[in-house]
Amino acid sequence: MQPFSPPLEIDPDLLLRAYATGIFPMAEHEDDPEVFWVRPEKRGVIPLDTFHVPRSLQKFMRQCPFDIRFDHDFDGVIDGCAERTPERTETWINAPIREAYTRLFELGHCHTVEAWRDGKLVGGLYGVSLGRAFFGESMFSRETNASKVCLVHLVERLRETGFVLLDTQFTTEHLKRFGAIDVARKRYETMLAIALDGTAHF
């Protein structure tokens, strides 16, 4: 990881080129004026053909607890992802990152899956689409299982629209329950090249 001082905003074309080479930006904390580029030795992915929905979540989803929307309130989703919680006392979403992904959303390369209840946004996720690859960035929940339900709907959407790669950047115990695995950088770059050879529309 190499820190650098970016301009006032991260150029959208630069950001997309970075994703196309397996690199993504992060910041140390919300008030950090800089970002750094990350190219992990191991990359987290969820294979779309082996995505697993835990039985307890399947039962929960049969109750249809949320109204699921796509690309409805990007600002609300990124605000939710940047919220401090007892489990997450800091956020890496700083001003340059917020501005860059807002611009990508306006250009059609950033998307959201949102969980609503009684007219309120209670969970969601956002990520970047490029070719047939979707790069998950962050998710949040204000109600139990909200982000998990959004992840299930994301995978359904990606399958329906021809995506072949769901990149989670890193794996966590939470994501492993859904089938997330680590892949070595070389293997990931091969998977990415295949995904970028073609077009899918979220």
Side-chain angles (χ1 to χ4, degrees):
M1 295 182 245
Q2 298 180 339
F4 81 113
S5 297
L8 291 178
E9 62 181 33
I10 304 171
D11 180 75
D13 289 336
L14 171 64
L15 187 52
L16 292 175
R17 288 199 301 272
Y19 275 100
T21 57
I23 301 172
F24 57 89
M26 294 187 71
E28 292 290 351
H29 53 79
E30 181 180 8
D31 297 325
D32 190 348
E34 300 182 346
V35 302
F36 56 87
W37 297 109
V38 183
R39 189 180 178 220
E41 289 294 331
K42 291 186 176 181
R43 195 71 166 241
V45 301
I46 296 179
L48 294 174
D49 57 348
T50 57
F51 179 71
H52 170 70
V53 183
R55 186 172 300 176
S56 60
L57 185 59
Q58 294 180 35
K59 181 178 179 180
F60 179 82
M61 291 185 67
R62 284 196 287 270
Q63 304 170 25
C64 300
F66 306 119
D67 172 24
I68 301 299
R69 305 178 189 179
F70 297 90
D71 294 346
H72 180 75
D73 184 4
F74 179 80
D75 290 339
V77 170
I78 201 166
D79 284 346
C81 290
E83 282 178 348
R84 290 182 174 86
T85 68
E87 297 77 24
R88 184 177 59 198
T89 58
E90 292 188 358
T91 177
W92 53 269
I93 299 175
N94 65 356
I97 285 177
R98 183 184 292 266
E99 292 167 5
Y101 288 91
T102 298
R103 182 63 179 139
L104 282 189
F105 178 74
E106 294 168 350
L107 293 172
H109 281 287
C110 195
H111 300 280
T112 64
V113 185
E114 308 159 18
W116 291 75
R117 191 203 293 271
D118 299 328
K120 295 181 180 180
L121 179 63
V122 297
L125 60 83
Y126 76 96
V128 173
S129 65
L130 188 62
R132 296 182 295 160
F134 189 91
F135 307 87
E137 283 296 317
S138 188
M139 59 175 59
F140 77 99
S141 285
R142 294 176 180 141
E143 290 193 11
T144 301
N145 290 333
S147 65
K148 296 176 184 177
V149 171
C150 288
L151 178 60
V152 174
H153 282 275
L154 170 67
V155 170
E156 291 176 351
R157 182 74 164 238
L158 297 181
R159 287 170 167 170
E160 291 170 357
T161 52
F163 285 81
V164 298
L165 175 63
L166 173 52
D167 175 345
T168 65
Q169 299 179 347
F170 305 104
T171 58
T172 63
E173 291 305 313
H174 168 69
L175 291 175
K176 287 179 181 178
R177 295 184 63 207
F178 293 89
I181 59 173
D182 285 313
V183 297
R185 179 191 290 174
K186 186 174 181 179
R187 180 185 173 197
Y188 172 78
E189 289 175 349
T190 299
M191 296 167 68
L192 178 60
I194 293 170
L196 294 177
D197 183 18
T199 303
H201 298 285
F202 188 87

